[in-house]
Amino acid sequence: WLVLNHAPLDRIGWTYSVLLGAGTSVSADGSTGGGFASHLQVGVFPQQNLGVLFDLNYGWRDNAVNQTLFDVRYGLELQFLPLAVGRLHGGVFGSVGAATRFEDGIQGGDATSLNLTGGALLQLELNTFLALTARFGIASDHGEQTSDATIGLSVY
């Protein structure tokens, strides 16, 4: 059994991430409830600790009349990961974009609004180009505050 040296995570260049988890969405009736959430991200890290990504966030849940509320948030995101302790990395993110809600069964359920999001990132480097990423965010859209927690893989 030969143990090889481990090269550190190298973020510089193009990146993409697929993250899955849970989040909240706001209904046209004003209620906030939890359901599925996901993030698909594509972007570039011009520096090791600073990245600019396009974030596409899909989420859905049942609303008060047992119909589907589908929530899409999309925007430009800035990630800053200055902390590193061994293979564990930490940082923050912020994004600005739009949120579009498609909701069945409630009058005026379809709507689009400004979306502002911020939160924390944790990464566990698996090898030089792959990290397990956990993301915890709070967003403001449709006049309410929502949140999500997702985990998945980031490829650099």
Side-chain angles (χ1 to χ4, degrees):
W1 183 267
L2 179 63
V3 177
L4 301 176
N5 289 334
H6 172 76
L9 182 64
D10 182 10
R11 288 190 196 92
I12 296 176
W14 292 99
T15 182
Y16 68 91
S17 297
V18 177
L19 311 171
L20 305 173
T24 58
S25 297
V26 178
S27 173
D29 68 9
S31 66
T32 301
F36 175 80
S38 67
H39 289 272
L40 302 173
Q41 298 180 318
V42 176
V44 65
F45 271 74
Q47 299 176 15
Q48 177 68 14
N49 297 324
L50 184 65
V52 179
L53 298 91
F54 175 75
D55 179 47
L56 182 58
N57 174 347
Y58 289 114
W60 62 82
R61 70 175 179 90
D62 289 341
N63 61 17
V65 293
N66 288 327
Q67 296 292 314
T68 301
L69 184 159
F70 186 68
D71 201 4
V72 181
R73 299 172 186 142
Y74 40 93
L76 194 60
E77 179 169 296
L78 187 65
Q79 294 184 356
F80 181 56
L81 292 118
L83 306 174
V85 178
R87 291 184 176 199
L88 186 63
H89 301 261
V92 295
F93 67 90
S95 70
V96 61
T100 302
R101 175 183 60 221
F102 303 98
E103 187 168 11
D104 297 332
I106 295 181
Q107 185 69 21
D110 296 352
T112 298
S113 75
L114 176 68
N115 175 261
L116 300 173
T117 303
L121 289 168
L122 288 175
Q123 286 190 327
L124 177 64
E125 64 182 68
L126 301 176
N127 61 37
T128 307
F129 302 110
L130 188 64
L132 183 63
T133 301
R135 174 187 170 104
F136 311 95
I138 296 175
S140 174
D141 53 54
H142 305 294
E144 298 289 334
Q145 181 175 309
T146 59
S147 60
D148 73 350
T150 54
I151 190 166
L153 290 176
S154 297
V155 178
Y156 297 97

